[in-house]
Amino acid sequence: MSASEDLEELPGVGPATAEKLKENGFDSYQGIAVASPGELSNTADIGESSAADIINAAREAADIGGFETGSAVLERREQIGKLSWGVSEIDDLLGGGVETQSITEVYGEFGAGKSQVTHQLAVNVQLPAEHGGLEGSAIFVDSEDTFRPERIEQMVEGLEDEVIADTMVLHGIVEEEEDADPTDEALLATLVESVLEKIHVAKAFNSNHQILLAEKAQEIASESQDEEFPVRLLAVDSLTAHFRAEYVGRGELAERQQKLNKHLHDLMRVGDLNNTAVVVTNQVASNPDSFFGDPTQPIGGNILGHTSTFRIYLRKSKGNKRIVKLVDAPNLPDGEGVMRVEGDGLMDE
């Protein structure tokens, strides 16, 4: 049964409404259940009271919205995946890596390595589970023209031989591990092409376009869940650049924060509904009132601070070294680690 036919079982949803909902990323009971009446009303051209009835029916059908026991929450959390950075010290700092069903914010000054992290994770998400991957694909929302396929190629070629061999098997390039030769240029080129094929890239031209892309990402992620490589990473690089440029001055701050809030909740929905890791990069601004410690602080204010599950601060050190500081996490202590940014990707110190 198709998603649109399934939705027609909800009261007040006919074929035309089901198609509109599906086109806008509301293609499951769960997706509708967590929407607001206003959001659904605008999407499907229906009244808010009808939208509320549809949402309530979807909540009953999806069996969400009520209380559950702590053991049920624990059972659900056991489905959460951990995506490795490929740097042992940083993975230890993060309790195993970047969590799915969470928003991880990586912020720092220009040149700190934020885009390097998003590129590396777009490669690592496609690795076998035994090498810290999630055996999935990636969506990359590019707002600052940072995505470089050549960098992905370098990072794939920079993987250890054993990882390359196992990834060739996972991607179906060879049938058996003994057939995988990491030094074979033709096989390696095929692997690079396969990895690039599994990264969906979209360039965001302004903040409104970026918000639309987040809604499109939900559609792609949802459709991919039955495929061989479901979407397991959504990277936004950077989250705040367009919002910062378009909403200037205190007079526009409220509207900026309101839009940013909606955008973050759209991203969170992708993570929650599809067991996907959401990683956003963020810029910093100088805080002239700071007399002690680091005078930089992330853009986005309290809305971003409260919505991000994990906050990571990157800063430059000597040469190619970067300090990675875990600033906030619900279940982990604050701490720091060191990594190197090399031609082959992110490396242990």
Side-chain angles (χ1 to χ4, degrees):
M1 185 164 18
S2 75
S4 58
E5 286 173 342
D6 205 16
L7 297 186
E8 286 176 44
E9 293 180 13
L10 295 171
V13 178
T17 303
E19 201 55 45
K20 279 183 184 176
L21 289 169
K22 189 183 173 190
E23 282 172 8
N24 287 278
F26 295 104
D27 54 2
S28 69
Y29 288 159
Q30 195 175 4
I32 293 171
V34 296
S36 68
E39 197 176 3
L40 217 61
S41 172
N42 292 334
T43 297
D45 282 338
I46 53 176
E48 285 210 19
S49 60
S50 299
D53 291 341
I54 292 169
I55 289 167
N56 288 332
R59 283 176 181 167
E60 282 184 30
D63 194 24
I64 68 167
F67 289 94
E68 58 186 346
T69 63
S71 58
V73 175
L74 180 62
E75 188 178 334
R76 197 175 69 248
R77 279 195 59 79
E78 284 170 356
Q79 298 173 358
I80 287 174
K82 300 271 190 173
L83 173 57
S84 169
W85 281 46
V87 182
S88 54
E89 194 175 338
I90 309 308
D91 286 340
D92 290 344
L93 184 70
L94 297 176
V98 176
E99 277 194 5
T100 59
Q101 300 180 38
S102 295
I103 293 183
T104 299
E105 176 198 357
V106 179
Y107 68 91
E109 292 180 323
F110 174 78
K114 303 184 295 295
S115 296
Q116 302 295 325
V117 171
T118 52
H119 280 69
Q120 187 72 66
L121 292 176
V123 171
N124 292 359
V125 74
Q126 303 187 40
L127 303 182
E130 61 265 31
H131 296 299
L134 296 176
E135 301 184 6
S137 59
I139 294 174
F140 197 111
V141 177
D142 181 4
S143 72
E144 292 191 274
D145 195 24
T146 52
F147 182 78
R148 294 291 181 271
E150 302 88 350
R151 192 70 184 113
I152 298 292
E153 181 179 4
Q154 291 171 343
M155 287 174 166
V156 171
E157 292 173 350
L159 295 168
E160 294 177 2
D161 286 355
E162 183 190 354
V163 180
I164 290 176
D166 289 345
T167 307
M168 283 179 176
V169 176
L170 177 67
H171 283 244
I173 292 161
V174 294
E175 287 189 14
E176 303 290 339
E177 194 175 336
E178 48 265 30
D179 299 329
D181 181 2
T183 62
D184 186 315
E185 289 187 9
L187 285 178
L188 200 53
T190 306
L191 177 61
V192 168
E193 188 179 340
S194 178
V195 169
L196 284 168
E197 279 288 324
K198 293 171 181 62
I199 305 174
H200 310 267
V201 185
K203 187 172 179 180
F205 294 103
N206 54 50
S207 62
N208 285 331
H209 186 219
Q210 189 171 318
I211 289 168
L212 283 173
L213 289 176
E215 295 169 4
K216 181 69 176 174
Q218 165 56 26
E219 194 180 314
I220 294 170
S222 177
E223 289 172 356
S224 77
Q225 292 310 303
D226 295 327
E227 295 173 2
E228 193 178 357
F229 282 81
V231 170
R232 288 287 177 260
L233 172 70
L234 169 56
V236 183
D237 187 19
S238 89
L239 177 76
T240 49
H242 285 316
F243 292 92
R244 188 183 188 184
E246 292 167 29
Y247 297 92
V248 182
R250 290 189 177 276
E252 297 196 35
L253 184 61
E255 188 182 352
R256 183 188 85 174
Q257 294 303 86
Q258 194 176 8
K259 276 198 163 187
L260 190 57
N261 190 30
K262 182 198 181 302
H263 184 42
L264 282 164
H265 280 84
D266 287 344
L267 297 175
M268 194 185 295
R269 180 186 288 152
V270 178
D272 287 344
L273 297 182
N274 303 287
N275 196 21
T276 297
V278 180
V279 177
V280 301
T281 68
N282 190 12
Q283 302 173 338
V284 294
S286 181
N287 178 12
D289 298 332
S290 175
F291 294 104
F292 303 100
D294 197 316
T296 58
Q297 59 185 11
I299 302 295
N302 290 334
I303 281 176
L304 184 48
H306 291 315
T307 312
S308 299
T309 318
F310 300 89
R311 302 194 94 180
I312 297 168
Y313 177 32
L314 287 187
R315 68 178 190 273
K316 297 178 187 176
S317 186
K318 291 179 182 176
N320 58 6
K321 288 184 181 178
R322 300 291 186 273
I323 309 296
V324 183
K325 183 176 182 180
L326 181 62
V327 176
D328 189 28
N331 58 337
L332 297 167
D334 294 354
E336 285 189 357
V338 182
M339 68 176 184
R340 290 180 296 119
V341 179
E342 299 279 8
D344 288 340
L346 307 184
M347 300 285 169
D348 288 304
E349 186 189 0

PDB file of all heavy atoms in Angstrom, residues 319-338:
ATOM      1  N   GLY A 319      49.620  24.509  14.155  1.00  0.00           N
ATOM      2  CA  GLY A 319      49.661  23.794  12.883  1.00  0.00           C
ATOM      3  C   GLY A 319      48.298  23.265  12.478  1.00  0.00           C
ATOM      4  O   GLY A 319      47.313  23.989  12.409  1.00  0.00           O
ATOM      5  N   ASN A 320      48.251  21.941  12.237  1.00  0.00           N
ATOM      6  CA  ASN A 320      46.998  21.340  11.781  1.00  0.00           C
ATOM      7  C   ASN A 320      46.180  20.750  12.926  1.00  0.00           C
ATOM      8  O   ASN A 320      45.215  20.029  12.699  1.00  0.00           O
ATOM      9  CB  ASN A 320      47.286  20.255  10.724  1.00  0.00           C
ATOM     10  CG  ASN A 320      48.205  19.168  11.271  1.00  0.00           C
ATOM     11  OD1 ASN A 320      48.546  19.160  12.454  1.00  0.00           O
ATOM     12  ND2 ASN A 320      48.606  18.253  10.409  1.00  0.00           N
ATOM     13  N   LYS A 321      46.557  21.051  14.157  1.00  0.00           N
ATOM     14  CA  LYS A 321      45.818  20.528  15.314  1.00  0.00           C
ATOM     15  C   LYS A 321      44.591  21.387  15.607  1.00  0.00           C
ATOM     16  O   LYS A 321      44.609  22.605  15.424  1.00  0.00           O
ATOM     17  CB  LYS A 321      46.723  20.481  16.552  1.00  0.00           C
ATOM     18  CG  LYS A 321      47.785  19.392  16.497  1.00  0.00           C
ATOM     19  CD  LYS A 321      48.569  19.337  17.800  1.00  0.00           C
ATOM     20  CE  LYS A 321      49.660  18.274  17.749  1.00  0.00           C
ATOM     21  NZ  LYS A 321      50.458  18.248  18.987  1.00  0.00           N
ATOM     22  N   ARG A 322      43.549  20.741  16.076  1.00  0.00           N
ATOM     23  CA  ARG A 322      42.321  21.432  16.474  1.00  0.00           C
ATOM     24  C   ARG A 322      41.885  20.926  17.845  1.00  0.00           C
ATOM     25  O   ARG A 322      41.912  19.719  18.112  1.00  0.00           O
ATOM     26  CB  ARG A 322      41.180  21.181  15.476  1.00  0.00           C
ATOM     27  CG  ARG A 322      41.470  21.652  14.055  1.00  0.00           C
ATOM     28  CD  ARG A 322      41.533  23.169  13.956  1.00  0.00           C
ATOM     29  NE  ARG A 322      41.670  23.616  12.575  1.00  0.00           N
ATOM     30  CZ  ARG A 322      42.823  23.760  11.940  1.00  0.00           C
ATOM     31  NH1 ARG A 322      43.960  23.465  12.570  1.00  0.00           N
ATOM     32  NH2 ARG A 322      42.863  24.187  10.687  1.00  0.00           N
ATOM     33  N   ILE A 323      41.473  21.852  18.702  1.00  0.00           N
ATOM     34  CA  ILE A 323      40.921  21.493  20.007  1.00  0.00           C
ATOM     35  C   ILE A 323      39.412  21.317  19.839  1.00  0.00           C
ATOM     36  O   ILE A 323      38.737  22.191  19.295  1.00  0.00           O
ATOM     37  CB  ILE A 323      41.186  22.586  21.071  1.00  0.00           C
ATOM     38  CG1 ILE A 323      42.673  22.973  21.096  1.00  0.00           C
ATOM     39  CG2 ILE A 323      40.705  22.116  22.444  1.00  0.00           C
ATOM     40  CD1 ILE A 323      43.616  21.874  21.513  1.00  0.00           C
ATOM     41  N   VAL A 324      38.896  20.188  20.271  1.00  0.00           N
ATOM     42  CA  VAL A 324      37.459  19.895  20.187  1.00  0.00           C
ATOM     43  C   VAL A 324      36.916  19.874  21.612  1.00  0.00           C
ATOM     44  O   VAL A 324      37.282  19.023  22.413  1.00  0.00           O
ATOM     45  CB  VAL A 324      37.212  18.535  19.508  1.00  0.00           C
ATOM     46  CG1 VAL A 324      35.714  18.273  19.372  1.00  0.00           C
ATOM     47  CG2 VAL A 324      37.885  18.485  18.150  1.00  0.00           C
ATOM     48  N   LYS A 325      36.052  20.835  21.930  1.00  0.00           N
ATOM     49  CA  LYS A 325      35.532  20.956  23.294  1.00  0.00           C
ATOM     50  C   LYS A 325      34.051  20.624  23.316  1.00  0.00           C
ATOM     51  O   LYS A 325      33.256  21.233  22.592  1.00  0.00           O
ATOM     52  CB  LYS A 325      35.763  22.371  23.824  1.00  0.00           C
ATOM     53  CG  LYS A 325      35.302  22.558  25.275  1.00  0.00           C
ATOM     54  CD  LYS A 325      35.635  23.947  25.783  1.00  0.00           C
ATOM     55  CE  LYS A 325      35.228  24.108  27.244  1.00  0.00           C
ATOM     56  NZ  LYS A 325      35.532  25.452  27.761  1.00  0.00           N
ATOM     57  N   LEU A 326      33.667  19.663  24.146  1.00  0.00           N
ATOM     58  CA  LEU A 326      32.247  19.351  24.348  1.00  0.00           C
ATOM     59  C   LEU A 326      31.709  20.339  25.381  1.00  0.00           C
ATOM     60  O   LEU A 326      32.051  20.278  26.556  1.00  0.00           O
ATOM     61  CB  LEU A 326      32.077  17.904  24.827  1.00  0.00           C
ATOM     62  CG  LEU A 326      30.634  17.445  25.053  1.00  0.00           C
ATOM     63  CD1 LEU A 326      29.825  17.505  23.763  1.00  0.00           C
ATOM     64  CD2 LEU A 326      30.607  16.027  25.629  1.00  0.00           C
ATOM     65  N   VAL A 327      30.858  21.258  24.916  1.00  0.00           N
ATOM     66  CA  VAL A 327      30.368  22.348  25.763  1.00  0.00           C
ATOM     67  C   VAL A 327      29.094  21.948  26.501  1.00  0.00           C
ATOM     68  O   VAL A 327      28.880  22.319  27.652  1.00  0.00           O
ATOM     69  CB  VAL A 327      30.116  23.617  24.911  1.00  0.00           C
ATOM     70  CG1 VAL A 327      29.517  24.738  25.741  1.00  0.00           C
ATOM     71  CG2 VAL A 327      31.414  24.077  24.260  1.00  0.00           C
ATOM     72  N   ASP A 328      28.246  21.176  25.814  1.00  0.00           N
ATOM     73  CA  ASP A 328      26.965  20.812  26.430  1.00  0.00           C
ATOM     74  C   ASP A 328      26.497  19.467  25.900  1.00  0.00           C
ATOM     75  O   ASP A 328      26.552  19.210  24.693  1.00  0.00           O
ATOM     76  CB  ASP A 328      25.918  21.893  26.109  1.00  0.00           C
ATOM     77  CG  ASP A 328      24.624  21.691  26.883  1.00  0.00           C
ATOM     78  OD1 ASP A 328      24.676  21.125  27.991  1.00  0.00           O
ATOM     79  OD2 ASP A 328      23.569  22.100  26.378  1.00  0.00           O
ATOM     80  N   ALA A 329      26.052  18.607  26.793  1.00  0.00           N
ATOM     81  CA  ALA A 329      25.481  17.306  26.436  1.00  0.00           C
ATOM     82  C   ALA A 329      24.618  16.840  27.601  1.00  0.00           C
ATOM     83  O   ALA A 329      24.968  17.074  28.762  1.00  0.00           O
ATOM     84  CB  ALA A 329      26.582  16.288  26.155  1.00  0.00           C
ATOM     85  N   PRO A 330      23.470  16.206  27.318  1.00  0.00           N
ATOM     86  CA  PRO A 330      22.568  15.825  28.406  1.00  0.00           C
ATOM     87  C   PRO A 330      23.085  14.686  29.278  1.00  0.00           C
ATOM     88  O   PRO A 330      22.697  14.562  30.431  1.00  0.00           O
ATOM     89  CB  PRO A 330      21.293  15.400  27.670  1.00  0.00           C
ATOM     90  CG  PRO A 330      21.755  15.010  26.308  1.00  0.00           C
ATOM     91  CD  PRO A 330      22.938  15.869  26.000  1.00  0.00           C
ATOM     92  N   ASN A 331      23.970  13.849  28.723  1.00  0.00           N
ATOM     93  CA  ASN A 331      24.378  12.639  29.452  1.00  0.00           C
ATOM     94  C   ASN A 331      25.888  12.453  29.520  1.00  0.00           C
ATOM     95  O   ASN A 331      26.368  11.371  29.856  1.00  0.00           O
ATOM     96  CB  ASN A 331      23.755  11.399  28.781  1.00  0.00           C
ATOM     97  CG  ASN A 331      24.149  11.276  27.318  1.00  0.00           C
ATOM     98  OD1 ASN A 331      24.506  12.268  26.688  1.00  0.00           O
ATOM     99  ND2 ASN A 331      24.095  10.084  26.775  1.00  0.00           N
ATOM    100  N   LEU A 332      26.652  13.501  29.169  1.00  0.00           N
ATOM    101  CA  LEU A 332      28.112  13.383  29.146  1.00  0.00           C
ATOM    102  C   LEU A 332      28.744  14.571  29.861  1.00  0.00           C
ATOM    103  O   LEU A 332      28.219  15.685  29.808  1.00  0.00           O
ATOM    104  CB  LEU A 332      28.628  13.349  27.698  1.00  0.00           C
ATOM    105  CG  LEU A 332      28.175  12.170  26.821  1.00  0.00           C
ATOM    106  CD1 LEU A 332      28.514  12.465  25.366  1.00  0.00           C
ATOM    107  CD2 LEU A 332      28.832  10.879  27.275  1.00  0.00           C
ATOM    108  N   PRO A 333      29.902  14.360  30.512  1.00  0.00           N
ATOM    109  CA  PRO A 333      30.592  15.493  31.144  1.00  0.00           C
ATOM    110  C   PRO A 333      31.280  16.359  30.095  1.00  0.00           C
ATOM    111  O   PRO A 333      31.644  15.877  29.026  1.00  0.00           O
ATOM    112  CB  PRO A 333      31.628  14.798  32.042  1.00  0.00           C
ATOM    113  CG  PRO A 333      31.902  13.493  31.367  1.00  0.00           C
ATOM    114  CD  PRO A 333      30.602  13.075  30.729  1.00  0.00           C
ATOM    115  N   ASP A 334      31.431  17.645  30.405  1.00  0.00           N
ATOM    116  CA  ASP A 334      32.200  18.522  29.519  1.00  0.00           C
ATOM    117  C   ASP A 334      33.636  18.012  29.457  1.00  0.00           C
ATOM    118  O   ASP A 334      34.141  17.411  30.410  1.00  0.00           O
ATOM    119  CB  ASP A 334      32.196  19.963  30.043  1.00  0.00           C
ATOM    120  CG  ASP A 334      30.799  20.578  30.014  1.00  0.00           C
ATOM    121  OD1 ASP A 334      29.893  19.928  29.488  1.00  0.00           O
ATOM    122  OD2 ASP A 334      30.637  21.693  30.538  1.00  0.00           O
ATOM    123  N   GLY A 335      34.285  18.264  28.333  1.00  0.00           N
ATOM    124  CA  GLY A 335      35.672  17.822  28.201  1.00  0.00           C
ATOM    125  C   GLY A 335      36.261  18.301  26.895  1.00  0.00           C
ATOM    126  O   GLY A 335      35.565  18.932  26.077  1.00  0.00           O
ATOM    127  N   GLU A 336      37.538  18.012  26.689  1.00  0.00           N
ATOM    128  CA  GLU A 336      38.237  18.431  25.482  1.00  0.00           C
ATOM    129  C   GLU A 336      39.009  17.267  24.883  1.00  0.00           C
ATOM    130  O   GLU A 336      39.415  16.347  25.589  1.00  0.00           O
ATOM    131  CB  GLU A 336      39.225  19.569  25.782  1.00  0.00           C
ATOM    132  CG  GLU A 336      38.594  20.912  26.007  1.00  0.00           C
ATOM    133  CD  GLU A 336      39.637  22.036  26.092  1.00  0.00           C
ATOM    134  OE1 GLU A 336      40.846  21.719  26.029  1.00  0.00           O
ATOM    135  OE2 GLU A 336      39.237  23.200  26.217  1.00  0.00           O
ATOM    136  N   GLY A 337      39.202  17.319  23.576  1.00  0.00           N
ATOM    137  CA  GLY A 337      40.041  16.359  22.877  1.00  0.00           C
ATOM    138  C   GLY A 337      40.819  17.086  21.789  1.00  0.00           C
ATOM    139  O   GLY A 337      40.523  18.246  21.473  1.00  0.00           O
ATOM    140  N   VAL A 338      41.796  16.413  21.214  1.00  0.00           N
ATOM    141  CA  VAL A 338      42.623  17.012  20.162  1.00  0.00           C
ATOM    142  C   VAL A 338      42.571  16.119  18.926  1.00  0.00           C
ATOM    143  O   VAL A 338      42.592  14.889  19.027  1.00  0.00           O
ATOM    144  CB  VAL A 338      44.090  17.171  20.617  1.00  0.00           C
ATOM    145  CG1 VAL A 338      44.923  17.837  19.525  1.00  0.00           C
ATOM    146  CG2 VAL A 338      44.164  17.970  21.910  1.00  0.00           C
TER     147      VAL A 338
END
